[in-house]
Amino acid sequence: LNLKAILFIADGMADRPLKELDWKTPLEAARKPILNRIARTGICGIIDPIAPGIPPGSDTSTLAMLGYDPLRVYSGRGALEAVGSGVKVLPGDVALRCNLATVDENLVVLDRRAGRIANEDAFELVESLQRIKLKNPKNVEFYLKNTVQHRGALVLHGSDFSTAVSDSDPETAGKKVLEIKPLDKSPEAKRTAAILNELSQEFHKVLSKHPVNMARDKHRLPPANMVLFRGAGTIPKILPLEKVFGIKAVCVAAVSLIRGVCKVAGMDLIDVKGATGTPQTDYMAKARAAVKALKEHDFVFLHVKATDVAGHDGNFKLKVEIVEKIDAMLGYVLDNVDLDSTILAVTADHTTSCVTKNHEGDPVPVAITGPYVRTDDVAEFGERTCAMGGLNRLRGVDLMHILMNLCGRVQKFGA
Ligand SMILES: [Zn+2]
């Protein structure tokens, strides 16, 4: 047996029942013939991505769903996001997420996104910061890259850095930029905090006088006069999927955090025109890309962000619509892959509640269909129906082994 597999993840698709939907969840309320078909022809269950009652991050959950125990290997969001946006992060480097922001003369944050600054302005500002030379300690190599609008990544390159440092980003406007502090007693943490505080000051100095900001001021746009840091991380030390399961794996995802996780797992990344990581993404283009990628690979990780976006906005109507678009997209996948040699799994990376507008610790539904799968009686894909299925209740980290075993790619334990 040597089958291929597609793992489809709808970010934050799972939800809680809502009064406005007659106490159904958005997934339960949606018209979803294909998802139901996958449930009916497959084996269903529910998954605790991390552990029962623990709200997962998208990064920790994705690590788990790929078979890596996040409690052992997770090393912060910063490096994953940087890697996913095309920044090189080497072992030993520390990476942080950055925001170009607007502060007043007392360093109080007025706008964490500098008016969602345009890419061209952000690029020019960030380029000038790259030329700064640090005095103390000397010769620290850093690399600053802006990705989209106000967002970016900072990489400290070399050794003797630590991720045990606090953020400078106060996370809300109206608060002062925070001093970065070491979070343990190691000399590395102290050194890293000192470097970041100096960079923060130097960046502010250069940005405050920058011609781009003068021009923004003239046009009554908020100046991007500060870079806020958060989420210091390193790349997790994990074996690539090729080593673990002997598979050639590929990722079809738009958001950089997910792409970063897949990249450190040794997967190929595919850029899809029209894939945006928003509700307006080109769903069918992603489905086509996944089907095409399966020809050259053993495993395709297909990810859609939009469900999570709707959840965070509390927009349950939009979430229902997105589930219906996902359903159509999976219809294309089913119609265009060889169902005699492909395992298809569908799940979510966590619950994003339209009521709390946050990630929650409720388990997520999962359905796996394909040849020789031990089907059960579940005929509808939903949070509650799947709980009655043959997979019962799993941890996220178990899913990949189950899929790979169905594909004939897991070694026997023992003699
Ligand atoms: Zn997520």
Side-chain angles (χ1 to χ4, degrees):
L1 214 58
N2 225 349
L3 308 183
K4 296 186 172 199
I6 300 177
L7 171 55
F8 173 78
I9 292 194
D11 206 304
M13 177 166 67
D15 210 312
R16 291 174 173 172
L18 293 156
K19 185 162 182 264
E20 295 87 341
L21 296 175
D22 286 331
W23 299 110
K24 288 180 176 172
T25 68
L27 177 59
E28 288 169 347
R31 216 188 77 83
K32 47 182 188 310
I34 305 296
L35 283 162
N36 291 344
R37 180 175 145 203
I38 293 167
R40 198 172 59 245
T41 60
I43 184 167
C44 298
I46 52 175
I47 298 180
D48 294 297
I50 310 296
I54 306 295
S58 295
D59 45 6
T60 49
S61 175
T62 304
L63 276 167
M65 299 285 188
L66 290 173
Y68 303 101
D69 182 355
L71 298 170
R72 278 183 42 224
V73 306
Y74 184 59
S75 54
R77 177 168 183 153
L80 295 171
E81 182 125 3
V83 168
S85 54
V87 177
K88 201 162 143 191
V89 185
L90 300 170
D93 294 356
V94 164
L96 296 102
R97 304 165 74 200
C98 302
N99 266 29
L100 278 169
T102 308
V103 297
D104 70 9
E105 60 275 18
N106 299 315
L107 298 184
V108 172
V109 176
L110 300 175
D111 184 341
R112 278 185 70 246
R113 301 180 180 91
R116 290 196 181 269
I117 184 167
N119 287 340
E120 306 78 63
D121 280 5
F123 182 81
E124 211 179 321
L125 290 169
V126 163
E127 205 186 18
S128 67
L129 300 178
Q130 190 60 62
R131 289 192 287 270
I132 288 173
K133 295 265 178 283
L134 283 189
K135 289 171 217 82
N136 181 38
K138 263 190 202 159
N139 304 324
V140 171
E141 257 185 80
F142 72 89
Y143 180 63
L144 185 66
K145 179 177 170 168
N146 78 298
T147 50
V148 183
Q149 295 180 324
H150 55 278
R151 283 189 281 266
L154 173 75
V155 181
L156 301 178
H157 178 55
S159 53
D160 302 323
F161 300 121
S162 168
T163 57
V165 291
S166 63
D167 300 343
S168 69
D169 188 345
E171 298 278 351
T172 39
K175 288 191 182 159
K176 214 174 150 180
V177 178
L178 302 168
E179 190 193 332
I180 293 174
K181 297 203 170 92
L183 297 176
D184 64 25
K185 292 204 161 66
S186 68
E188 289 83 8
K190 212 175 145 192
R191 177 171 180 266
T192 308
I195 292 166
L196 291 171
N197 283 322
E198 190 181 337
L199 279 175
S200 178
Q201 283 165 23
E202 294 300 315
F203 287 173
H204 179 53
K205 253 189 244 166
V206 173
L207 290 173
S208 298
K209 298 177 295 206
H210 200 285
V212 167
N213 276 330
M214 304 295 152
R216 288 179 68 78
D217 196 46
K218 233 181 248 165
H219 292 97
R220 301 189 172 218
L221 292 166
N225 56 8
M226 193 68 190
V227 182
L228 301 173
F229 304 132
R230 69 188 193 281
T234 58
I235 47 172
K237 292 188 190 85
I238 58 177
L239 282 176
L241 289 177
E242 179 147 26
K243 282 258 163 63
V244 184
F245 297 112
I247 50 168
K248 212 166 162 265
V250 62
C251 155
V252 180
V255 284
S256 51
L257 186 62
I258 303 299
R259 289 168 69 89
V261 174
C262 291
K263 179 95 186 174
V264 298
M267 301 168 75
D268 293 336
L269 301 182
I270 290 186
D271 294 310
V272 178
K273 199 167 163 263
T276 56
T278 69
Q280 290 77 40
T281 194
D282 190 339
Y283 299 84
M284 290 315 260
K286 288 180 97 160
R288 286 193 297 271
V291 166
K292 197 164 157 232
L294 193 67
K295 294 196 169 82
E296 308 287 320
H297 296 83
D298 308 304
F299 175 70
V300 176
F301 181 87
L302 175 57
H303 178 269
V304 167
K305 177 73 178 167
T307 29
D308 183 58
V309 177
H312 281 293
D313 289 343
N315 192 341
F316 55 89
K317 275 190 193 146
L318 179 63
K319 201 166 176 184
V320 169
E321 282 168 28
I322 293 165
V323 171
E324 292 175 353
K325 284 180 181 160
I326 284 171
D327 197 71
M329 153 183 198
L330 290 171
Y332 178 89
V333 173
L334 280 183
D335 285 346
N336 288 282
V337 299
D338 175 14
L339 296 173
D340 293 330
S341 65
T342 310
I343 299 287
L344 172 65
V346 177
T347 187
D349 60 343
H350 47 77
T351 293
T352 303
S353 163
C354 280
V355 174
T356 67
K357 302 181 184 179
N358 259 320
H359 297 191
E360 298 298 347
D362 313 51
V364 299
V366 59
I368 304 173
T369 187
Y372 309 112
V373 165
R374 288 202 317 222
T375 51
D376 53 32
D377 293 336
V378 178
E380 190 199 326
F381 188 75
E383 292 88 343
R384 287 176 275 203
T385 45
C386 284
M388 316 292 282
L391 287 169
N392 305 125
R393 189 164 185 155
L394 308 170
R395 298 174 306 161
V397 74
D398 298 325
L399 178 64
M400 192 65 178
H401 290 90
I402 292 169
L403 295 181
M404 289 299 108
N405 183 226
L406 286 168
C407 290
R409 293 186 183 273
V410 179
Q411 299 279 326
K412 176 164 61 181
F413 176 65

